Amino acid sequence: MARGGQQSLARETARRIFGTKRLAVGAIVAVALSLTACSTSSSPSAGPAGGAPAPRPVAQVSISPSPGSGINPTTPVVVQAVHGKLTTVTVTNASKGNTVAGALSPDGAKWTSTEDLAYGASYRVVADATGTDGKTVTQQSTLTTVSPAAQAFPALTPAPPAPGLTFGVGQIIGVSFDHKVTDRAAAENALTVTTTPSQPGSWHWIDDRTLHYRPPSYWQPGTTVKLDAKLYGVNLGSGVYGKTDRSATYHIHDSWIAKADGATDQMQIVHNGAVVGTMPISMGKDATPTHSGPHVISDKQQQVVMDSCTYGVCPPSPKAYKSTEFWAERISNDGEFVHENPASVGAQGSTNVSHGCINLNPQNAQIFFNEFGLGDVVEAVNTPGGPLPIYDTYGDWELNWTQWQAGSALHH
């Protein structure tokens, strides 16, 4: 081969060899760049734009009610944490040093007091929370509760009964305050009566301190009556607040109703709607007549001293008397009882000679005493005495249902 041809072939061979090496090197560089880019974009330490991570939020703590005075003591204290969890919450009575009980929610973000505060007291609230940033934040507040002008205690009628004690179908439920109530609606709204089986009922104000509750007619035998008086923290008007909450449960037994007739001088004994006996009686004479209408037994004693001075008739009045009687059951505070009176046995069944009581012979008095008890009813008819006053213990049944409801502050 000529010298020129050999040189040309050598140059072509060299071009192919070195050209292939440059291509391989370029491919390697490209792959390396590609791997470097993937590694950078997946780094967990970088922010959204490849910068530093976002800071975690600090815990925020709120306390309610807001700091101040005049807070109702039944208002719960609530402490809440956002972006963190509560670690410590204390609510302390500033003067007494005792702490208020409370409960923390499962997630640790909310604390709520579980007991009422006291009237006229200042409380210091201190709450610590740890934020998602791991730092502790403290929040404080001072709360002062309302100071009543007076606190009214609610006495229940009847008093909460001993286990096993039951009442008759005429039993009246009542609440009596030891201070005047000017906001009657507030008082009624704080009282709940639950009956089983369910029966309608209404409150009626006897005076400015006392209200009674009854259904349209006598209770159904076997009824359970539960009274809940949630009066603590309730403004009863003129700065008078309820002193405490109270409750009681009453059980109504069989229906026992005595029907005393002043015209025939006989008294029927009615058990659950059926007449089971009749007793001769002597009722109040014309000068001291027995009140007419339904009476309810409010007390019973095997022996009692009856003194007319207890209702204002004292010696030297010719109407005054004082004697010991047996098997006595009170049916009014006006001196009326159903009781034994051996001295009037000759008049029983024919003439009314008593001072207003219903007299029975010794045998019938004991039978009546054994069958009738608290809340049972004695209805008196054909007597010149006027209706038993509504304020006289349990004169409540003298009013019809419309009249009774009119005495409620919630039925106007």
Side-chain angles (χ1 to χ4, degrees), residues 128-139:
D128 294 328
T130 300
T132 55
D133 62 349
K135 296 180 180 179
T136 299
V137 172
T138 299
Q139 183 69 276

Side-chain angles (χ1 to χ4, degrees), residues 359-374:
N359 293 170
L360 296 169
N361 65 39
Q363 181 181 2
N364 284 335
Q366 292 183 50
I367 293 173
F368 185 88
F369 189 89
N370 290 335
E371 296 293 357
F372 280 71
L374 301 179

